[in-house]
Amino acid sequence: MGSYILKRLVSAIPVLLGITVIVFAIMALIPGDPATAILGSYATPENVEKLNRDLGLDKPAVQRYFIWLFNMVQGDFGRSFSLNRPVLDEVLDRFGATLVLAGTSFVLCSLIGVAAGVVSAARQYGFADKAITFVVLLGISIPSFFLGMMMILIFAVQLRWFPASGMWPIYGDRNLLVLLDHLLMPALALAVVATGVVARLSRSAMLEVLRQDYIRTARAKGVPERGVIWRHALRAAMVSIIPVLGIQAGFVLSGAVYIEMVFQWPGVGRMLVDAILKRDILLVQGGVVFVAACYVLFNIVVDVAQSLLDPRIKT
Amino acid sequence: MGVLNWTRRGVLAAGTALALSMGMQAEAQTPPGVLIVGQIAEPKALDPAAVTAVNDFRILMNVYDGLVRYKSGTLEVEPALATDWEISEDGTEYTFTLREGVSFHDGAPFNAEAVVFNFERMLNEDHPYHDTGPFPLAFFFSAVETVEAVDDLTVKFTLNAPYAPFLSNLAYPTGLIVSPAAVEQYGADFGRNPSGTGPFTFAEWRSNEAVVVEANPEYWDGAPGLQAVVFRPITDANTRTAEMLAGGIDMMVEVPPVALSEFQGDTFQIFEQAGPHVWFLILNAKEGPFADKRVRQAANYAINKSALVDDVLEGTAEVAAGPTPPAFAWAYNEALEPYPYDPDKAKELIAEAGAEGAELTFYVTEGGSGMLDPIAMGTAIQADLNAVGFDTRIETYEWNTFLGQVNPGLEGKADMAEMAWMTNDPDTLPFLALRTDAWPDKGGFNSGYYSNPEVDTLLEEARVATDQDKRAELYKEMQSIVQEDAPWVFVANWKQNAVTSDRVEGFELQPSFFLLLDDVVKN
């Protein structure tokens, strides 16, 4: 197992290097520069040139890339122009908020999605199956940002049940309950599509397993139906469900960008959008590399989990 | 127990959780004495010398004071940290007497040395803290040759030439006085650890969440009526509106025109005020069809500005008559009438100039400081221009890219571009954007290459005239010449707006676009 994990970790290095090259190239190619963004409407070409020189942006791109990479390997992601803070501090601050949002959504979509899929499969073509299939299709078809805006309109503006935006009350106590209050709408909006996908695929995986001989054997041996479905069949189906969950984890992480914009959640997605508009090159590059590294790491965790469930995968 | 029973239990549990969190929400309301302001963006920094955006100024004006400030409701200068001042006969020496017994929020005393530190930091490249910049608006004080502390409470500015806008530039955020001790302590991080002398002291900045300032009970002009102000960046205008309607914020600025009607009624108050803002089209007077004055005038006749301000902007702006907004009352030429909407006259002028069917490249931006609704306005303008026989092609750019295209000049690229300016003095915009010496290659913002020696002379004279009546006369003459020459299409003067909840009292909008909150009370 140890060597398998090590092999997966080593294979992640070229992926991460590739990401640094791509994000650096994109930021170097998009028009507009940080000096214009910093100076605002009063940016004369002369001042823009001077400021870009002060920021070290007059050096050749290749040289800038290697300086950036060299510093980053040592843990120095540079300093954000627009926020006037070390990039890593800002990214770590924001990433916590994103993890809370994406993590909650992921838990919601895994629990609800798998449960709905199992129920659907157990009652194939029954009323529960049809009802769940209908709701799931509806969920998959609604864009999450639209759903988010509708939720704000109904539950925040009209009914005033939940705050419309933000992660914490803006002035006052911060505790788990008020966090949940702010979290519920964005986490649900973010989870809906992923839940639908997980439910559909869990249903297929379960149906596949339920047709197997050993399930029939289990039933014949007198294992109660609940045990057959939740203990025997689900455990076997999990081998195909876990990779789906892994993909959905990536999906909620990237989907968090829209939801963070709609609900003004102070996460890394919103930070990146603002940073792109302000041409905050180092913040965008650092943020993307950090998120990509987490993504890659998460994929390794999923692979390892899968290999634990199904020892054939390791080889 | 069957699967369905299990499901029922799950639904019940979820329902209970939902009900619990709803019950809790009923208690959560914004607390009295704490004003929560919905801002349009995260501030760049809280260092007044380093920022240029009105969004940032709205916070800064409550944390810092300048030597002088704008009298409430006007753009006239009155004493603030300086109690009075003397101007030398030739207009080049300004001697300020400073207010006694004022301290910065960090405890350091406010005195002449502190004033010297502030201006040296910005203007002198050898100053040990000059690298805490950049200072994009330092050119507001480029006329300053030396700043000296005559004694502890007297400071003298010597200018290289008489410069009439000097006092009003001192009242602008770029002239606000920061604590030297705090700059020395935090260096480049000063912008996130601000310290001034204003009515509110900085408490906390949570990125992307809020900037919190608290009342300064020691404020020299009387303690503020609020306990604290929280500035929340809510970049999405729809979310900002929803948050205001949901009661999560007490005040919002820059309400989108289409959302204003949502706030009619007793629970909200709407504030509107015309400010020193001009929205215009820069016309390329160097080459192409707009090199001919008649074609430029034709563009001014062809565009239906009333439709733009009434329909596109839903009445949140007024039609502009010339390059100077009416908010500069003393310098505004009342006699000017906006170009009327007259497509026939436009066609006539175009025919006279032989410019029928001319192809125009029109730079439009997606958004940006003071740009209102630039895409919708751009397409309406395109339709009006095409209706009189032009063939207008729009090129749209994101704001920073747009500035990078427009500021270096339109030559070889475009015939016209959208632009908007908000300024503090009638001098600033024409001086930086209409003089021959302000062409982009000379470091100015005259991106359309307008040149009229008469206008140049008037602007140079107005700048050194210390008598305000004389200045007013010069500006008024400049406006009528510029209107006739039509280097721009003069489109709109924006009326800034804000909405507050009915719990907020004592709030007024300022023509400067600043947000002054020291007299505001919230129940």
Side-chain angles (χ1 to χ4, degrees):
Chain A
M1 183 46 83
S3 70
Y4 173 71
I5 296 178
L6 192 70
K7 209 168 74 189
R8 291 289 287 112
L9 282 175
V10 170
S11 71
I13 293 174
V15 175
L16 286 175
L17 272 179
I19 288 164
T20 61
V21 172
I22 292 170
V23 67
F24 186 89
I26 290 174
M27 288 312 285
L29 287 175
I30 57 169
D33 59 5
T36 311
I38 290 170
L39 296 170
S41 317
Y42 299 93
T44 62
E46 194 185 328
N47 289 343
V48 168
E49 196 185 324
K50 180 175 176 295
L51 186 53
N52 275 332
R53 206 165 48 237
D54 291 349
L55 294 170
L57 292 170
D58 56 334
K59 296 196 183 84
V62 177
Q63 192 184 347
R64 275 190 286 136
Y65 171 75
F66 281 106
I67 294 175
W68 173 60
L69 192 66
F70 181 71
N71 289 336
M72 206 158 49
V73 171
Q74 294 168 309
D76 175 11
F77 281 56
R79 203 178 172 83
S80 149
F81 308 137
S82 67
L83 298 169
N84 204 359
R85 277 189 89 185
V87 166
L88 196 59
D89 290 5
E90 186 63 26
V91 172
L92 287 175
D93 272 10
R94 297 302 111 217
F95 196 66
T98 298
L99 271 189
V100 169
L101 175 63
T104 312
S105 277
F106 179 66
V107 170
L108 283 175
C109 87
S110 311
L111 292 181
I112 302 176
V114 172
V118 170
V119 173
S120 232
R123 301 284 160 115
Q124 196 183 5
Y125 307 132
F127 173 74
D129 184 26
K130 284 181 182 151
I132 288 172
T133 305
F134 175 75
V135 174
V136 158
L137 279 177
L138 201 68
I140 294 179
S141 324
I142 296 180
S144 56
F145 67 89
F146 177 76
L147 182 68
M149 287 197 267
M150 287 302 115
M151 285 169 109
I152 292 179
L153 205 62
I154 296 167
F155 297 109
V157 176
Q158 297 296 334
L159 298 171
R160 294 204 175 199
W161 287 356
F162 296 102
S165 65
M167 176 170 178
W168 296 105
I170 222 61
Y171 201 80
D173 290 338
R174 295 179 155 211
N175 55 46
L176 191 63
L177 272 178
V178 298
L179 175 62
L180 285 178
D181 200 30
H182 284 76
L183 183 60
L184 194 73
M185 286 206 301
L188 273 178
L190 181 53
V192 162
V193 175
T195 307
V197 174
V198 171
R200 288 306 288 168
L201 293 164
S202 302
R203 181 177 180 272
S204 326
M206 281 295 287
L207 286 175
E208 185 72 22
V209 172
L210 286 171
R211 272 186 224 119
Q212 302 291 321
D213 288 343
Y214 64 88
I215 296 293
R216 203 177 315 145
T217 313
R219 282 189 180 133
K221 277 167 69 184
V223 178
E225 187 61 16
R226 230 175 111 212
V228 169
I229 287 174
W230 294 99
R231 203 163 314 129
H232 294 269
L234 182 57
R235 164 130 201 216
M238 279 317 269
V239 176
S240 359
I241 294 176
I242 282 185
V244 174
L245 292 181
I247 293 168
Q248 294 311 309
F251 179 84
V252 290
L253 198 61
S254 52
V257 175
Y258 311 111
I259 293 296
E260 284 176 8
M261 290 306 289
V262 173
F263 287 93
Q264 298 288 305
W265 190 264
V268 84
R270 218 184 114 201
M271 180 201 82
L272 282 176
V273 174
D274 285 346
I276 291 168
L277 290 178
K278 290 175 188 162
R279 294 294 181 274
D280 196 335
I281 294 180
L282 289 177
L283 189 57
V284 175
Q285 293 178 172
V288 171
V289 168
F290 186 87
V291 173
C294 292
Y295 202 99
V296 168
L297 196 71
F298 192 81
N299 269 309
I300 295 176
V301 172
V302 172
D303 287 352
V304 170
Q306 208 183 354
S307 75
L308 283 175
L309 273 174
D310 186 353
R312 285 170 300 180
I313 290 171
K314 226 188 307 186
T315 47
Chain B
M1 189 190 302
V3 170
L4 275 178
N5 279 344
W6 187 90
T7 317
R8 257 182 231 124
R9 273 199 312 192
V11 171
L12 255 174
T16 316
L18 199 78
L20 262 177
S21 83
M22 273 154 37
M24 191 180 50
Q25 177 55 23
E27 298 155 29
Q29 211 193 14
T30 63
V34 178
L35 185 77
I36 299 176
V37 181
Q39 282 264 70
I40 57 163
E42 174 101 334
K44 208 172 267 180
L46 295 178
D47 180 347
V51 297
T52 60
V54 174
N55 180 62
D56 301 8
F57 295 166
R58 292 194 179 110
I59 305 176
L60 293 171
M61 295 307 293
N62 295 291
V63 176
Y64 298 95
D65 292 304
L67 293 178
V68 294
R69 65 183 178 195
Y70 299 120
K71 205 182 285 176
S72 183
T74 72
L75 287 168
E76 282 164 45
V77 164
E78 70 172 13
L81 284 177
T83 49
D84 58 88
W85 53 88
E86 270 170 36
I87 306 171
S88 69
E89 201 64 15
D90 66 352
T92 59
E93 279 181 16
Y94 286 68
T95 311
F96 293 88
T97 308
L98 305 183
R99 195 171 291 278
E100 229 181 310
V102 177
S103 295
F104 290 103
H105 300 148
D106 61 1
F110 164 74
N111 54 29
E113 283 302 333
V115 178
V116 173
F117 178 97
N118 268 267
F119 286 91
E120 291 265 301
R121 172 173 85 115
M122 197 168 15
L123 302 172
N124 176 1
E125 289 192 12
D126 301 325
H127 189 268
Y129 293 95
H130 184 71
D131 61 0
T132 52
F135 306 112
L137 298 185
F139 65 79
F140 271 32
F141 300 106
S142 53
V144 174
E145 202 142 80
T146 58
V147 194
E148 304 155 70
V150 178
D151 61 46
D152 203 35
L153 290 176
T154 312
V155 73
K156 188 169 95 178
F157 290 78
T158 310
L159 311 186
N160 54 24
Y163 176 52
F166 180 58
L167 276 179
S168 95
N169 284 355
L170 279 178
Y172 206 63
T174 318
L176 294 174
I177 305 294
V178 311
S179 161
V183 174
E184 282 163 18
Q185 184 183 346
Y186 295 107
D189 287 332
F190 173 74
R192 286 188 83 94
N193 297 277
S195 177
T197 57
F200 293 90
T201 59
F202 171 75
E204 195 186 2
W205 179 345
R206 305 195 295 266
S207 299
N208 275 342
E209 273 190 82
V211 170
V212 183
V213 297
E214 285 169 353
N216 169 13
E218 312 286 306
Y219 187 49
W220 57 267
D221 203 15
L226 289 165
Q227 182 193 331
V229 184
V230 181
F231 295 91
R232 269 191 74 184
I234 308 179
T235 38
D236 184 81
N238 293 324
T239 308
R240 200 158 66 243
T241 307
E243 192 65 276
M244 186 76 212
L245 289 168
I249 53 179
D250 305 307
M251 174 185 291
M252 74 179 276
V253 293
E254 301 196 21
V255 187
V258 288
L260 262 184
S261 56
E262 298 280 335
F263 297 105
Q264 307 290 354
D266 291 344
T267 35
F268 298 104
Q269 304 173 68
I270 301 179
F271 297 83
E272 278 190 301
Q273 189 181 53
H277 167 276
V278 199
W279 199 104
F280 55 98
L281 300 174
I282 304 171
L283 304 178
N284 185 344
K286 194 176 191 176
E287 54 178 13
F290 291 131
D292 189 319
K293 179 166 116 180
R294 289 167 298 186
V295 186
R296 297 199 299 264
Q297 289 175 333
N300 269 289
Y301 284 115
I303 293 167
N304 188 348
K305 294 157 222 165
S306 313
L308 280 173
V309 302
D310 293 337
D311 302 339
V312 179
L313 300 175
E314 309 228 0
T316 55
E318 279 161 9
V319 173
T324 302
F328 295 119
W330 61 271
Y332 180 67
N333 190 341
E334 296 280 352
L336 291 186
E337 285 293 328
Y339 277 89
Y341 173 52
D342 190 344
D344 294 333
K345 175 94 178 163
K347 282 185 200 154
E348 223 171 86
L349 285 165
I350 294 167
E352 235 175 78
E356 295 108 325
E359 284 177 23
L360 301 174
T361 303
F362 178 18
Y363 278 179
V364 168
T365 178
E366 288 172 359
S369 179
M371 292 305 298
L372 311 181
D373 197 352
I375 293 185
M377 294 171 80
T379 43
I381 287 168
Q382 178 190 36
D384 284 345
L385 291 176
N386 288 352
V388 296
F390 288 115
D391 177 9
T392 319
R393 191 168 58 91
I394 284 183
E395 283 181 33
T396 311
Y397 295 94
E398 179 275 325
W399 180 235
N400 288 311
T401 316
F402 181 83
L403 289 176
Q405 292 276 10
V406 173
N407 284 354
L410 298 182
E411 191 178 4
K413 295 184 289 196
D415 300 293
M416 53 198 287
E418 299 179 334
M419 190 47 74
W421 279 63
M422 288 185 263
T423 55
N424 66 315
D425 192 278
D427 170 77
T428 318
L429 174 58
F431 195 84
L432 291 174
L434 284 173
R435 275 177 324 136
T436 313
D437 275 346
W439 283 23
D441 54 343
K442 292 169 188 136
F445 296 92
N446 189 348
S447 306
Y449 317 95
Y450 171 60
S451 173
N452 183 331
E454 258 183 288
V455 170
D456 294 346
T457 317
L458 289 168
L459 286 171
E460 300 285 354
E461 278 178 23
R463 186 167 250 229
V464 297
T466 34
D467 174 41
Q468 180 155 311
D469 294 340
K470 173 80 182 151
R471 276 184 83 197
E473 207 177 291
L474 296 164
Y475 286 131
K476 285 176 187 174
E477 202 181 331
M478 175 276 293
Q479 287 160 53
S480 46
I481 298 173
V482 170
Q483 198 206 31
E484 166 72 19
D485 281 347
W488 300 342
V489 176
F490 314 101
V491 178
N493 301 121
W494 178 45
K495 288 187 279 186
Q496 61 168 332
N497 62 33
V499 168
T500 69
S501 80
D502 55 359
R503 298 166 73 195
V504 176
E505 281 170 26
F507 174 68
E508 270 175 72
L509 280 173
Q510 298 294 330
S512 54
F513 288 120
F514 304 154
L515 207 56
L516 304 181
L517 300 173
D518 46 336
D519 293 329
V520 172
V521 179
K522 187 188 147 198
N523 307 312

